[in-house]
Amino acid sequence: QVQLVESGGGSVQAGGSLRLSCAASGNIARWYSMAWFRQAPGQDREGVAAIRALTAARNTYYADSVKGRFAISQDYANGTLYLQMNSLKPEDTAIYYCAASAQYIPATTSQVLGVGQYDVWGQGTQVTVSS
């Protein structure tokens, strides 16, 4: 059974950095795409960054709100997914979730960052950014 376990969350002041990790167990070779989502209190879960792991180019996709500040990467030796978050803002405060999809997802940002495209989720890790 595949499991995703996030770590690396915490509290940081605005302008600071955090690096989230998502350890994947099980048959990681089947995951077509992996992504990071976040959910702030009272808001819908939204896509932050994604990587199409099984494509040769391993394309990455970002929400406009984090482009230039966040970077998604993956260690293909063990499947661990990372999210490097720099220049953090108070509006980045949320629970961050790792997710994986075994199905083909069309190569548009809106599709690859769509919540409904992913079928395995981690338990989440809290990120709090203070001003």
Side-chain angles (χ1 to χ4, degrees):
Q1 185 176 355
V2 175
Q3 283 189 316
L4 303 174
V5 180
E6 303 95 334
S7 61
S11 297
V12 65
Q13 289 193 325
S17 299
L18 283 174
R19 189 191 195 203
L20 304 184
S21 299
C22 173
S25 63
N27 186 9
I28 60 176
R30 65 189 287 255
W31 302 120
Y32 195 93
S33 297
M34 295 190 73
W36 288 97
F37 291 79
R38 68 186 181 187
Q39 188 166 20
Q43 297 188 21
D44 293 335
R45 191 170 297 188
E46 63 173 357
V48 174
I51 186 166
R52 300 179 85 212
L54 291 187
T55 62
R58 293 171 181 168
N59 301 93
T60 56
Y61 302 80
Y62 297 93
D64 288 342
S65 59
V66 306
K67 204 171 292 183
R69 301 188 298 121
F70 290 11
I72 188 171
S73 62
Q74 187 173 23
D75 181 340
Y76 291 98
N78 58 27
T80 301
L81 187 72
Y82 300 99
L83 184 68
Q84 178 67 43
M85 305 186 294
N86 299 325
S87 302
L88 283 162
K89 305 175 181 179
E91 51 263 43
D92 294 320
T93 295
I95 299 174
Y96 283 71
Y97 298 90
C98 172
S101 174
Q103 63 185 343
Y104 170 78
I105 302 174
T108 66
T109 300
S110 60
Q111 294 272 29
V112 181
L113 294 182
V115 172
Q117 302 281 10
Y118 293 84
D119 43 20
V120 179
W121 294 82
Q123 83 290 348
T125 185
Q126 176 71 47
V127 171
T128 302
V129 184
S130 57
S131 57

